[in-house]
Amino acid sequence: AEAFEAEEPAWLTWEAFEAACKKLNFGPTIGFETLFSLLATHEKIPKGEDADAEAEAQEEAQAVDEVQKVFSKRSLLSVFQYCTAKRRGKIAACQAFITRAFPNFTAAFKRLFDFSGEEEREAELTLPRIEWPTAIVRAYRGRVWMQRLFNSLGDDRGRLCVDPAEAEKKGSWLYFFPTLVGQAAPVDYKTVTEPAAVVTAQVARWHHGQAFVDLRRLSSVSDPRGESKGPSLDFCAYLTQVGSMPSGINDTGDLPAMPFGGCMTFIKGTISFDRPFERLCPRNILPLPQVGELPLLPPRPKPKPPPTVVEELEFEAKKIVGKLSVDFARLCHDKGLEEDQIVGVKGDVAEYKLLGKRGLQEHAFLNWLKEDGETWQALSAELRPAIVRMIRSEAPDGPSCGLDGNESDARYSSMRDMVLEHLFKALNEDIRSYKKRRDTAIWRSSVEGAGTDLVNTEEDPGFVKPDRVLEQQEKHRDKELRRLAFEYEALGDYQQVVRLYSQLLELPSNKQNSEVWLRYARFWMRWGQKQPEALDALRHAVSFRPEEEGPTLQEAAFIAFLLQNHTLPCSLEGAELTPTERFEAACSILENYADKHPGEQMPLYLLFVVYAHEAYAIEVESSFGEGPPPDPSEIAAVQRLQAKATKYLELARAGPSAFAGTLCEVTFPELEALSLKERLSRGEATQPLETLPPVPEAWNSDKFPVFTRKEDVHRDPKSSDKEALSVIDMMLSFGTSSYVPFLLTAASEVYGFLSPDSTASERCRLQLVKAHMLSENWDLAIGQLEDLFETVTDRIPVAHALLGECHYRKALLFGDRSSQTFAASLAAFSNALLFFDDLDDRMTTAKARLTSKASAKVPGEKKARGGDLTLHLRVASIYYRIAEESGFQDEEAMRKTIEHYKRSLEVTGTAEAWHNAGICHYRLACNLPRGLDGSEAMHRRQGLLRDALRFFTEANLLNRNRPQVNAWLVICSVELGMVNIAKQTFRQVLRCASDLDCKTAIELAEVLLNFSNEAIAATGERVVLVEDGRYVSEALAIGELAVSAGGGEKASSVVAAAETLREELRARSQGPTPAAVVAGSASSTKNEEGAPLIAVA
């Protein structure tokens, strides 16, 4: 229909239409192109126009005919015929519609194109009509119906949530059916019992019709009745008979063939709305407030500024250096100053020659350039413009040229020095860059992930792609920093986590990586609910995205949750937003996201949370129901917020179907129900089963089953609450735990956010426990878990793990940190590990049964143990405390400590596990007697020390900046007599000495001191392991660091002993010394001149 609706349709005459319709009866190659061509070229000029226009139309018609003739001669004719043949189904349908709906072509033309308003009014006055007894029918249309209306119209106020092809008709279908007197619904005429009404019912069923109403004008028509009224549309819809008719209704032929088409029956009416159309919610979105000098969501960082004149000069200098390299190679080639170079370990000769290493005299290249005047002049001409621009910018008051004989001539020297400074800088940068590339090629095997993808094998197998290697190094560094941040956070060293994140965010690939900044914000909320720092990190994350894109769902939700949590501040810049501004900003962020992403459920759930939480906060603050009656304005505000919260909750639950669909579908539920009844009464269809047949007895489960079913033990939430539960999981992942109790209790009671079955499920109760843990309400979380075990079941491994964590963190915060305070935590962790051990055994058994060689055990095969990393680390740390309290004499505790650290390493390698496992092996070695007497105890001690050294080495590979690991490496190296390794590692300890704890520093100093005094050496250790003065200076240095760090009397005594031993050894080497001098040397650390005896660098 749209193809015929031209701006001036008067040219489309009946003759042209009839000719086009008759063409439909011709061969298969006649398609819509031919139809439209005929309609466009025949009798285009209305009668009465001048001759010039008529001649122009004839020329245009001849041009169209010529184009068609040329087209038919080409090879594309077969393609045209194929396409038109594919459309035969549509052509036949069009022809069937015309012949069925209209008595002849004339009626069809008048109906479709040429029916004027005058004839319409005349028909209303002279022809029969039916008037409904109720002239006006009012109905409420909600959000879903308005969404479908806007989708049908293609109106942007509905955000265009459907494919334009679905709303191609831009209208709706009406269903017209007559009913018998006293009945409101259509009936099957064969079921009518009264003989006189059977014929009437048959005629009524034959006159079921449908009509299409074009609704496009609703988008543009303004109602003249006033601005407060909505749009109005006068429609005139022509009826056609519905296609669904019962069999045998007109076998006698008494009923008219075209009940509506022959007499051109139409329905006329008006569709009007009581208010103007508005944009569907969310609408009227408020702008975001300012935080300091920037908006809440800051703009993207400014792009890198253009290069300065100095940078341009340096860049030109680098280009000239490259060209000079080519000229140098040409000089060496011309003079034969080339020689082969050997690469690789097998003496392979490289493809490229070594140039100018021998035989080239000093200044030979410079003299050669001067002799070749063209090269010299070209290089000078290229560099001159950059020098001129820099001089004009950096020295605008300098002399322009020539000598003036005054003090301004002296400025030439400073200008020359400035130019040379930047030229040398550019040259040195190139030298460093290519040196780095050469070093990369030499040491490429040490790069993690280095392989064939880093080598340019097509050009030179010995040449490594530097950019590729640097990229791999950066990825490895990123992975390492993320792992260390996770490890330190598990250990509770949050200050170190902050330092690691600062290094992580300084990597080039992470400076504008929103994902890393989001993870950083989550860390701030997990560590003590530091809301201002988290919001600042989120603002950085959002600023890296384009303004038209906006924040992601997680970023928008996180910012909204932080703003809505009024119990904590949200600004680092001092200017705090008011609670109302924070609430409006939270709504604005989420509404902007929902406006850009219509159809998504999650932002609608989040909007519900914000509005419902704000209403709840006002109620709590005003103490509704207690004391004096609240202010009516507050009551009205709460009711508005609750209404909006309910609306967004219902929209979220409706799902994507609330935003999809149009009014264009030809769906008549009444007609479908009537057709089903008619087919059933005639035996043409079978009655669908209303109730399922009974289940056979053999299919029923046993009354007393052997195994308990999962649903009998555990309580699962309802599947309909899946999206709502994911909202709570999102809050817990962000660390915004204050909303969780509200959603699980008040919101579920007032709004039905969650069903009662879901709130009583294990998942919701564990979510509440996690919220209490994030808020550090350990006693409340412990009570919730114990109640869960009593009322539901204790077969929940996650609950046991959470219970152990609650007891563990509570003991760290409030206990004396003895092993007894961790007894409850150890019991809960052990119960949790029982589930994983049982799962490991069952999985191993199942795999063995499925394997053909299950009975054959592979020698040396290692069984992989399961479990959670944190569980094993926690259990190992508790057993370590038990062993430490016993002076590391409790071998059972030591064994369990090592076992759990090893099991954690089977899950994933951590520096903490390797480090503590090494300490345990060292302590076991210390329990054995010292000495190199060849006994079994000696060999066992040496083996334990070597194992400890290996563990500390693994820990050092995972964390090179932790001084405790290096300190223990020094201790083991000293015990094993590795002097050089011990002293080299000691230097690494001093580099990070500020992070070394006093306890480790004192123990290191004692070991160094013991192995520096042969007087206390055991059998066979003298010279091999112990030598006088070997580590005295190191012991004194680390002892003084322990004293400065607050090591107390023990650290001071170690320093005093080291000074005494040094003075004794010095006196021993210089001869006898008075006892008074030796005794007095232990109380001072300075020589006679007052200078320190040892410098710590």
Side-chain angles (χ1 to χ4, degrees):
E2 292 180 357
F4 293 109
E5 289 183 358
E7 295 181 359
E8 296 180 0
W11 60 268
L12 191 59
T13 62
W14 151 242
E15 289 79 6
F17 178 76
E18 185 178 27
C21 291
K22 287 182 179 180
K23 286 287 186 179
L24 295 174
N25 294 322
F26 293 164
T29 58
I30 300 299
F32 284 111
E33 290 84 354
T34 307
L35 173 63
F36 295 154
S37 175
L38 290 170
L39 294 174
T41 56
H42 285 74
E43 300 182 16
K44 184 173 182 180
I45 302 300
K47 295 180 180 180
E49 295 290 341
D50 54 3
D52 295 337
E54 188 172 354
E56 183 179 352
Q58 292 178 357
E59 292 177 0
E60 185 177 351
Q62 293 176 0
V64 172
D65 293 337
E66 291 177 0
V67 171
Q68 290 180 348
K69 291 178 182 179
V70 173
F71 181 81
S72 62
K73 293 178 181 180
R74 295 185 179 178
S75 59
L76 291 178
L77 180 60
S78 58
V79 179
F80 175 75
Q81 292 177 347
Y82 172 77
C83 294
T84 53
K86 295 289 288 184
R87 299 190 186 97
R88 289 185 64 187
K90 295 183 180 180
I91 297 173
C94 177
Q95 184 180 10
F97 170 76
I98 293 176
T99 56
R100 180 171 55 87
F102 309 105
N104 50 50
F105 286 140
T106 305
F109 175 78
K110 287 182 174 294
R111 165 75 175 278
L112 292 174
F113 308 108
D114 201 31
F115 195 82
S116 62
E118 292 295 333
E119 295 186 7
E120 190 177 306
R121 286 189 290 270
E122 182 181 355
E124 292 183 32
L125 296 175
T126 60
L127 298 178
R129 68 175 183 269
I130 299 175
E131 292 185 1
W132 273 266
T134 304
I136 299 177
V137 177
R138 291 181 174 88
Y140 174 77
R141 290 293 178 262
R143 170 68 161 72
V144 176
W145 190 90
M146 291 299 299
Q147 179 71 59
R148 294 181 179 178
L149 173 62
F150 285 144
N151 289 346
S152 303
L153 300 177
D155 198 316
D156 183 67
R157 287 171 288 192
R159 297 175 182 83
L160 306 177
C161 297
V162 296
D163 188 5
E166 297 183 29
E168 185 177 358
K169 297 178 182 178
K170 300 188 185 306
S172 182
W173 287 90
L174 306 180
Y175 175 39
F176 170 81
F177 56 90
T179 59
L180 299 180
V181 177
Q183 295 185 0
V187 296
D188 184 4
Y189 68 93
K190 285 193 174 184
T191 61
V192 177
T193 57
E194 299 180 7
V198 172
V199 178
T200 306
Q202 183 180 6
V203 174
R205 180 63 179 90
W206 184 252
H207 284 79
H208 282 225
Q210 62 186 15
F212 183 78
V213 179
D214 191 349
L215 301 176
R216 285 177 295 180
R217 284 184 293 166
L218 285 176
S219 298
S220 57
V221 172
S222 59
D223 189 12
R225 294 173 292 179
E227 296 181 357
S228 61
K229 298 293 183 178
S232 178
L233 170 66
D234 296 329
F235 69 91
C236 180
Y238 286 85
L239 289 170
T240 59
Q241 188 182 39
V242 297
S244 177
M245 284 291 167
S247 60
I249 188 172
N250 195 23
D251 290 344
T252 60
D254 298 336
L255 301 176
M258 291 171 291
F260 301 111
C263 56
M264 302 177 64
T265 307
F266 65 88
I267 298 177
K268 187 176 182 181
T270 301
I271 300 174
S272 61
F273 294 81
D274 65 338
R275 67 189 72 176
F277 286 165
E278 291 187 273
R279 189 175 181 83
L280 296 180
C281 65
R283 57 178 173 268
N284 302 327
I285 303 175
L286 298 175
L288 293 174
Q290 294 281 122
V291 177
E293 298 180 356
L294 294 175
L296 180 62
L297 300 182
R300 298 191 71 180
K302 295 181 179 179
K304 186 179 179 180
T308 61
V309 291
V310 173
E311 293 173 344
E312 289 181 352
L313 174 63
E314 294 175 358
F315 181 70
E316 291 295 332
K318 292 179 181 180
K319 290 170 60 178
I320 290 178
V321 169
K323 293 181 179 180
L324 287 174
S325 301
V326 177
D327 293 331
F328 180 77
R330 185 158 53 90
L331 167 67
C332 296
H333 179 72
D334 294 343
K335 294 190 176 184
L337 302 177
E338 300 175 334
E339 56 182 299
D340 295 333
Q341 56 177 339
I342 298 176
V343 295
V345 295
K346 297 182 179 180
D348 298 333
V349 178
E351 177 184 357
Y352 304 102
K353 304 289 185 179
L354 193 63
L355 305 176
K357 186 176 181 180
R358 298 173 185 170
L360 191 65
Q361 299 179 356
E362 189 176 3
H363 303 300
F365 181 49
L366 178 62
N367 296 331
W368 181 79
L369 286 176
K370 290 181 178 180
E371 293 174 1
D372 187 4
E374 294 182 1
T375 304
W376 184 266
Q377 294 296 331
L379 295 176
S380 301
E382 288 184 14
L383 191 60
R384 186 179 297 111
I387 295 177
V388 171
R389 288 194 297 269
M390 190 193 72
I391 294 297
R392 289 177 178 176
S393 175
E394 301 297 324
D397 54 346
S400 57
C401 62
L403 297 175
D404 298 331
N406 52 28
E407 59 183 10
S408 65
D409 294 342
R411 295 185 180 179
Y412 279 115
S413 299
S414 61
M415 292 163 58
R416 178 205 61 189
D417 295 341
M418 179 173 60
V419 173
L420 289 179
E421 176 186 355
H422 293 292
L423 293 179
F424 288 145
K425 179 183 176 183
L427 180 61
N428 290 331
E429 286 181 355
D430 262 11
I431 292 175
R432 284 193 296 268
S433 174
Y434 283 97
K435 182 178 183 300
K436 191 173 183 179
R437 293 190 178 192
R438 288 195 301 272
D439 294 343
T440 301
I442 295 173
W443 301 104
R444 65 177 180 269
S445 59
S446 63
V447 179
E448 181 174 330
T452 57
D453 58 333
L454 304 181
V455 182
N456 193 353
T457 54
E458 296 181 358
E459 298 180 3
D460 184 2
F463 182 74
V464 175
K465 304 173 186 177
D467 297 336
R468 181 70 173 140
V469 172
L470 293 177
E471 179 184 352
Q472 291 291 330
Q473 289 175 339
E474 184 178 337
K475 289 182 179 180
H476 175 61
R477 181 60 176 166
D478 177 85
K479 182 179 179 180
E480 179 186 18
L481 290 174
R482 295 190 187 201
R483 177 181 51 77
L484 290 176
F486 164 76
E487 186 174 334
Y488 276 110
E489 188 174 355
L491 297 175
D493 191 353
Y494 297 109
Q495 297 293 343
Q496 186 66 25
V497 178
V498 175
R499 288 195 289 270
L500 289 171
Y501 265 111
S502 63
Q503 298 176 31
L504 183 65
L505 293 169
E506 284 298 322
L507 295 177
S509 61
N510 291 337
K511 284 186 177 181
Q512 295 190 7
N513 190 338
S514 300
E515 180 185 352
V516 181
W517 282 97
L518 177 63
R519 189 181 296 112
Y520 189 37
R522 291 175 56 194
F523 159 73
W524 281 117
M525 288 303 295
R526 290 196 303 269
W527 178 29
Q529 300 288 297
K530 298 184 182 299
Q531 193 163 276
E533 291 83 353
L535 183 60
D536 185 65
L538 282 172
R539 295 177 65 197
H540 277 83
V542 176
S543 67
F544 302 133
R545 301 188 182 278
E547 185 176 357
E548 61 276 5
E549 178 182 344
T552 62
L553 176 61
Q554 285 199 338
E555 294 165 354
F558 203 167
I559 295 175
F561 291 155
L562 296 181
L563 292 172
Q564 186 59 22
N565 185 14
H566 301 163
T567 58
L568 295 174
C570 67
S571 176
L572 286 172
E573 302 177 6
E576 190 68 33
L577 299 175
T578 63
T580 302
E581 291 176 335
R582 293 174 64 169
F583 165 68
E584 292 176 350
C587 293
S588 178
I589 291 174
L590 292 176
E591 287 172 349
N592 271 305
Y593 183 87
D595 185 63
K596 294 178 181 178
H597 303 84
E600 292 188 14
Q601 293 178 261
M602 191 58 66
L604 301 175
Y605 273 111
L606 300 177
L607 282 168
F608 158 76
V609 173
V610 173
Y611 277 105
H613 187 269
E614 182 70 10
Y616 178 74
I618 295 176
E619 286 182 340
V620 172
E621 184 178 356
S622 303
S623 301
F624 283 16
E626 299 178 3
D631 188 2
S633 60
E634 293 180 349
I635 297 177
V638 169
Q639 291 176 349
R640 286 194 299 270
L641 292 172
Q642 289 178 342
K644 285 191 173 183
T646 304
K647 175 180 66 175
Y648 282 117
L649 180 61
E650 293 302 320
L651 275 176
R653 285 177 173 171
S657 60
F659 298 86
T662 64
L663 300 178
C664 306
E665 295 90 353
V666 189
T667 56
F668 304 136
E670 299 90 345
L671 179 60
E672 293 175 359
L674 178 60
S675 298
L676 179 59
K677 291 180 181 180
E678 292 170 343
R679 291 197 303 273
L680 290 174
S681 63
R682 290 161 178 77
E684 299 172 357
T686 57
Q687 177 69 34
L689 294 177
E690 297 181 358
T691 58
L692 296 176
V695 179
E697 186 65 27
W699 293 7
N700 292 326
S701 57
D702 296 337
K703 186 176 182 181
F704 302 100
V706 178
F707 300 104
T708 305
R709 296 179 303 173
K710 177 180 179 294
E711 53 267 21
D712 295 336
V713 178
H714 299 279
R715 294 182 184 177
D716 295 329
K718 284 192 172 183
S719 58
S720 57
D721 293 330
K722 178 182 177 181
E723 295 295 333
L725 290 172
S726 63
V727 173
I728 300 178
D729 290 336
M730 180 186 291
M731 294 176 178
L732 293 174
S733 68
F734 292 156
T736 53
S737 58
S738 59
Y739 300 92
V740 177
F742 161 71
L743 292 177
L744 292 176
T745 55
S748 298
E749 294 173 1
V750 177
Y751 302 94
F753 178 69
L754 294 172
S755 63
D757 292 340
S758 295
T759 54
S761 65
E762 297 172 9
R763 180 176 177 181
C764 289
R765 298 181 71 169
L766 290 178
Q767 286 175 335
L768 187 60
V769 169
K770 294 175 183 177
H772 293 321
M773 293 175 66
L774 284 171
S775 303
E776 298 185 355
N777 296 326
W778 307 114
D779 292 332
L780 197 56
I782 292 171
Q784 293 279 349
L785 288 170
E786 292 175 349
D787 182 67
L788 176 64
F789 292 152
E790 293 177 1
T791 58
V792 182
T793 180
D794 61 349
R795 303 296 296 173
I796 310 173
V798 177
H800 288 284
L802 293 178
L803 180 61
E805 185 69 16
C806 290
H807 285 296
Y808 188 88
R809 299 288 292 275
K810 181 182 177 182
L812 287 178
L813 291 176
F814 307 110
D816 55 0
R817 299 201 174 190
S818 63
S819 60
Q820 294 299 325
T821 58
F822 292 91
S825 175
L826 179 60
F829 284 138
S830 300
N831 290 333
L833 287 174
L834 290 176
F835 291 91
F836 292 105
D837 293 341
D838 181 59
L839 179 63
D840 290 338
D841 296 337
R842 286 188 281 113
M843 291 297 294
T844 303
T845 305
K847 289 181 180 179
R849 290 177 179 176
L850 294 176
T851 306
S852 59
K853 300 180 180 180
S855 59
K857 184 177 180 180
V858 181
E861 183 180 6
K862 185 178 180 181
K863 176 186 174 183
R865 305 294 295 272
D868 184 79
L869 170 66
T870 308
L871 282 179
H872 291 300
L873 290 178
R874 291 284 190 259
V875 173
S877 66
I878 295 173
Y879 280 121
Y880 184 84
R881 291 176 185 274
I882 297 174
E884 190 177 24
E885 290 180 359
S886 67
F888 297 100
Q889 299 299 317
D890 189 343
E891 293 187 359
E892 180 65 18
M894 295 284 288
R895 184 187 64 79
K896 290 184 177 181
T897 303
I898 296 174
E899 177 189 357
H900 284 285
Y901 276 129
K902 287 184 177 180
R903 291 181 64 180
S904 73
L905 291 172
E906 291 177 1
V907 179
T908 183
T910 58
E912 177 70 10
W914 286 112
H915 171 253
N916 289 343
I919 293 177
C920 292
H921 280 74
Y922 177 79
R923 298 300 185 192
L924 289 174
C926 292
N927 291 336
L928 299 174
R930 287 174 50 181
L932 301 179
D933 52 1
S935 63
E936 182 180 353
M938 182 206 74
H939 290 295
R940 186 182 175 193
R941 175 185 171 84
Q942 292 294 314
L944 290 172
L945 287 174
R946 284 191 293 270
D947 289 342
L949 181 65
R950 181 170 60 87
F951 291 165
F952 290 133
T953 303
E954 293 291 340
N956 188 49
L957 290 175
L958 293 176
N959 190 354
R960 297 186 297 270
N961 298 323
R962 191 175 180 186
Q964 286 82 358
V965 177
N966 285 320
W968 284 103
L969 272 173
V970 174
I971 291 174
C972 290
S973 301
V974 170
E975 293 269 6
L976 293 172
M978 303 175 179
V979 181
N980 292 331
I981 294 178
K983 293 194 174 186
Q984 290 173 4
T985 310
F986 184 79
R987 298 190 191 100
Q988 299 297 324
V989 174
L990 295 181
R991 289 180 59 186
C992 305
S994 59
D995 296 331
L996 185 64
D997 61 288
C998 294
K999 184 178 179 180
T1000 306
I1002 293 173
E1003 184 159 3
L1004 173 60
E1006 290 176 345
V1007 171
L1008 292 172
L1009 198 59
N1010 291 336
F1011 282 80
S1012 301
N1013 189 358
E1014 296 181 5
I1016 59 176
T1019 304
E1021 290 184 344
R1022 194 182 303 273
V1023 180
V1024 178
L1025 298 181
V1026 183
E1027 183 179 355
D1028 286 338
R1030 177 176 284 177
Y1031 306 109
V1032 171
S1033 58
E1034 287 82 359
L1036 187 59
I1038 201 67
E1040 290 180 347
L1041 285 174
V1043 171
S1044 62
E1049 297 181 359
K1050 192 172 183 180
S1052 301
S1053 63
V1054 172
V1055 173
E1059 291 177 349
T1060 302
L1061 179 61
R1062 186 181 61 178
E1063 292 299 329
E1064 289 178 355
L1065 296 175
R1066 182 181 298 175
R1068 219 181 280 171
S1069 63
Q1070 295 178 356
T1073 305
V1077 177
V1078 175
S1081 65
S1083 62
S1084 176
T1085 59
K1086 297 183 179 181
N1087 57 14
E1088 296 178 356
E1089 290 81 14
L1093 294 175
I1094 184 169
V1096 181

